[in-house]
C-alpha cells in the first residue's frame, strides 16, 4: 500500500533545563513509498553486511540518525550477525516520486586535491573565499516551520534585504571576505565548489582541508547541461573530465561558461577530511548526498543503479546534501579522495532505484 507521506522524523529536543527529551514530529513531504521486502532488493544476498553496519553505526554518532533509529543504534553495536540485524529489525520501502514513475538518477562526487598557497602569487592567483561579511542568511524555521529546510541569502541595501551578488558580479568585485587560500586553477576551484569539500596542497608541502561554509543564494545551474544544449558536447561527453577538456581547448570562453552557474560556494578551513551535512566524515561508497526536502539526513537507504561498467547495489546512508541534488529518487555517491575517486565519480551517471529502511517496531507510530 502506498503512503502519501514518507514518514515522520522523530527529533529529540531538550526542553528548558529538563533532562528529559521532548519528542517532536516533523513531516517529510512530497514522497511516496510502497512496502517492499529484502527479497526484492537487487543483489541483496551479495551485500557486504559488515561494511554496511559499520557505516550505519558511524552515522549513529549523530543526533539525526539516533532520532530516526533510536535503540537500533545501540543494538547494532552489539550484534554478532550483521545480515540478521538488518532483516530482523528493518523493512525496506520503495521510494517513488509523485511526479513521475521513471527511474531516478545516481551521480558521484569525491574529495579533490588542488594546488595552492596561503599568499597570492603566481600561479596561485584564484582566491578560495570564506563567507563574505555582508552576506545575510535568513532562517524561517521559527516563524514558518514548514519552511525549515529553506534559507534566504542576500545583503542589506538601505532598509531592505536584496539578492546577493551572482558569480559574474562577484568576479568583478573586491569581496569583504577572508581568503582561505589561493589556488592555481579557476576550473579546479569551480569543481571544488561542485564537490563541496577538498584538500589543498600548499606550496610549503602542507595539506589543508577546506569545506563548504555558505552560498550566495542563487540556484545551481549545470554547465555540462549548458554545453549539451548549445551543441558543444553530447550527454555522454558531459563528465567532469569532458568539461575540463573543453575548457582547456576554449580558454577564452571559460569565464562565460562558469558564469552560467550563478551560484557560488564559500569555504572554511577544516580540521578533518570531507564531512557531509550530517556532520560525520564521509565513508567512500557508503555515503550519499540527497535532497533533504524529500529524504531526511541520517536515513538508511538501499540503492540500485545500472552503470555501464557494473551494477551498484548496496546500503548507503544519507549523510550529505548538494545544490545539484534535486528530487526524491536522486543521490550522489561519495567515492573518496584522489584522482582515482575523481575518475570514478566523474563518469557515474546512471538510472537509480531507491528504498528506505525503516525500523519494524516504529512503523505504525511513524508512518
Amino acid at each position: 500500500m502506498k503512503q502519501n507521506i514518507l514518514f515522520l522524523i522523530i527529533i529529540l529536543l531538550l526542553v528548558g533545563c529538563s533532562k528529559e527529551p521532548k519528542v517532536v514530529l516533523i513531516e517529510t513531504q512530497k514522497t511516496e513509498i510502497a512496502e517492499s521486502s529484502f527479497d526484492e532488493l537487487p543483489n541483496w544476498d551479495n551485500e557486504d553486511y559488515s561494511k554496511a553496519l559499520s557505516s550505519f553505526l558511524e552515522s549513529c554518532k549523530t543526533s539525526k540518525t539516533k532520532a530516526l533509529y533510536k535503540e537500533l543504534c545501540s543494538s547494532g553495536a552489539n550484534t554478532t550477525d550483521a545480515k540478521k540485524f538488518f532483516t530482523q529489525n528493518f523493512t525496506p520501502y520503495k521510494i517513488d516520486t509523485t511526479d513521475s514513475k521513471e527511474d531516478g538518477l545516481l551521480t558521484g562526487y569525491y574529495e579533490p586535491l588542488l594546488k595552492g598557497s596561503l599568499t597570492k602569487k603566481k600561479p596561485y592567483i584564484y582566491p578560495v573565499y570564506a563567507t563574505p561579511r555582508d552576506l545575510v542568511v535568513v532562517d524561517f524555521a521559527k516563524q514558518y516551520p514548514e519552511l525549515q529546510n529553506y534559507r534566504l541569502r542576500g545583503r542589506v541595501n538601505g532598509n531592505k534585504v536584496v539578492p546577493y551578488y551572482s558569480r559574474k558580479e562577484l568576479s568583478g568585485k573586491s569581496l569583504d571576505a577572508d581568503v582561505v587560500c589561493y589556488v592555481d586553477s579557476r576550473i579546479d576551484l569551480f569543481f571544488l565548489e561542485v564537490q563541496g569539500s577538498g584538500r589543498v596542497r600548499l606550496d610549503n608541502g602542507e595539506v589543508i582541508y577546506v569545506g563548504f561554509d555558505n552560498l550566495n543564494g542563487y540556484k545551481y545551474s549545470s554547465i555540462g547541461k549548458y554545453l549539451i544544449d548549445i551543441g558543444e558536447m553530447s550527454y555522454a561527453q558531459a563528465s567532469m573530465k569532458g568539461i575540463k577538456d573543453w575548457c582547456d581547448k576554449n580558454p577564452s570562453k571559460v569565464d562565460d561558461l562558469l558564469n552560467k552557474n550563478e551560484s557560488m560556494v564559500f569555504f572554511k578551513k577544516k580540521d578533518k577530511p570531507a564531512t557531509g551535512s550530517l556532520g560525520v566524515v564521509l565513508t567512500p561508497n557508503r555515503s550519499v548526498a540527497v535532497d533533504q526536502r524529500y529524504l531526511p539526513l541520517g536515513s538508511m537507504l538501499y540503492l540500485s543503479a545500472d552503470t555501464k561498467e557494473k551494477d551498484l547495489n548496496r546500503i548507503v546512508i544519507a549523510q550529505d546534501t548538494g545544490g545539484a541534488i534535486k528530487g526524491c529518487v536522486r543521490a550522489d555517491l561519495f567515492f573518496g579522495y584522489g584522482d582515482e575517486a575523481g575518475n570514478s565519480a566523474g563518469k557515474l551517471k546512471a538510472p537509480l532505484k531507491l528504498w528506505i529502511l525503516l525500523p519494524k517496531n516504529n512503523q505504525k507510530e511513524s508512518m
Side-chain angles (χ1 to χ4, degrees):
M1 183 178 71
K2 196 154 285 190
Q3 311 287 330
N4 287 327
I5 300 297
L6 174 58
F7 56 91
L8 300 178
I9 309 171
I10 300 177
I11 298 181
L12 301 180
L13 298 175
L14 292 179
V15 182
C17 297
S18 171
K19 295 182 180 180
E20 292 297 322
K22 177 183 178 182
V23 178
V24 182
L25 302 179
I26 301 176
E27 294 180 351
T28 295
Q29 301 177 354
K30 301 179 182 178
T31 303
E32 292 186 353
I33 60 173
E35 186 170 347
S36 183
S37 68
F38 286 98
D39 291 337
E40 295 177 356
L41 301 184
N43 214 32
W44 167 251
D45 287 333
N46 291 322
E47 168 65 295
D48 189 327
Y49 310 106
S50 295
K51 285 187 177 180
L53 179 59
S54 295
S55 180
F56 171 69
L57 294 177
E58 181 67 20
S59 197
C60 278
K61 295 177 181 178
T62 69
S63 60
K64 289 188 177 181
T65 298
K66 286 180 180 177
L68 282 169
Y69 294 107
K70 302 178 183 177
E71 68 276 1
L72 291 181
C73 282
S74 298
S75 60
N78 299 316
T79 188
T80 58
D81 188 328
K83 181 178 182 180
K84 184 180 291 185
F85 170 73
F86 290 119
T87 56
Q88 288 189 345
N89 293 292
F90 299 88
T91 298
Y93 283 78
K94 180 75 179 297
I95 302 171
D96 294 312
T97 69
T98 56
D99 301 324
S100 172
K101 301 308 175 188
E102 298 178 358
D103 288 341
L105 175 66
L106 178 67
T107 52
Y109 71 118
Y110 77 113
E111 190 180 16
L113 175 66
L114 287 77
K115 299 176 182 178
S117 173
L118 294 180
T119 58
K120 186 176 182 179
K121 57 186 177 182
K122 290 185 177 181
Y124 311 112
I125 60 174
Y126 302 102
V128 179
Y129 281 114
T131 299
R133 295 177 181 87
D134 60 344
L135 176 64
V136 175
V137 181
V138 181
D139 189 339
F140 295 103
K142 289 185 178 180
Q143 288 184 292
Y144 306 100
E146 67 274 15
L147 300 177
Q148 62 169 324
N149 292 326
Y150 295 88
R151 305 289 185 274
L152 173 65
R153 291 175 169 86
R155 58 188 176 87
V156 177
N157 185 6
N159 62 352
K160 295 182 179 180
V161 176
V162 299
Y164 202 69
Y165 303 107
S166 67
R167 177 183 295 275
K168 183 177 182 180
E169 291 169 334
L170 287 170
S171 66
K173 293 185 66 66
S174 177
L175 272 68
D176 182 16
D178 293 331
V179 176
V180 178
C181 62
Y182 296 87
V183 296
D184 65 346
S185 169
R186 57 183 168 172
I187 301 167
D188 287 345
L189 176 55
F190 180 88
F191 279 104
L192 174 66
E193 292 184 44
V194 175
Q195 303 305 317
S197 63
R199 307 181 189 192
V200 180
R201 186 181 301 279
L202 302 177
D203 53 349
N204 63 6
E206 179 187 0
V207 175
I208 62 172
Y209 303 115
V210 295
F212 172 91
D213 190 43
N214 221 319
L215 293 164
N216 65 341
Y218 285 78
K219 182 180 179 181
Y220 173 87
S221 297
S222 168
I223 60 173
K225 183 178 184 302
Y226 171 77
L227 290 172
I228 295 171
D229 291 343
I230 63 174
E232 287 292 313
M233 61 178 57
S234 67
Y235 180 84
Q237 295 171 324
S239 64
M240 182 172 59
K241 182 180 184 305
I243 295 171
K244 285 186 175 182
D245 289 344
W246 185 93
C247 290
D248 289 341
K249 295 175 183 177
N250 300 274
S252 64
K253 299 179 180 179
V254 170
D255 285 338
D256 182 62
L257 174 66
L258 300 185
N259 288 335
K260 296 300 178 183
N261 177 29
E262 295 184 309
S263 174
M264 187 168 175
V265 175
F266 305 111
F267 292 90
K268 60 183 175 182
K269 187 177 179 181
K270 307 187 75 173
D271 59 1
K272 53 187 176 182
T275 302
S277 303
L278 194 62
V280 295
V281 174
L282 300 175
T283 303
N285 298 303
R286 291 289 174 178
S287 299
V288 293
V290 298
D291 187 341
Q292 64 178 332
R293 296 174 303 170
Y294 299 88
L295 297 172
L297 285 176
S299 57
M300 183 160 49
L301 309 168
Y302 192 83
L303 66 79
S304 178
D306 298 328
T307 73
K308 293 181 179 180
E309 297 182 355
K310 63 178 181 179
D311 292 348
L312 293 175
N313 302 282
R314 65 189 56 162
I315 288 177
V316 293
I317 309 295
Q319 294 179 331
D320 206 359
T321 58
I325 313 305
K326 302 296 183 185
C328 180
V329 187
R330 177 72 173 94
D332 209 21
L333 179 64
F334 180 69
F335 276 88
Y337 158 74
D339 291 340
E340 184 177 347
N343 290 333
S344 298
K347 60 188 178 184
L348 177 59
K349 190 178 293 184
L352 172 68
K353 292 181 173 63
L354 271 181
W355 290 258
I356 186 165
L357 276 60
L358 297 180
K360 286 184 177 180
N361 62 346
N362 286 337
Q363 287 165 17
K364 287 184 179 180
E365 66 183 65
S366 62
M367 296 292 293

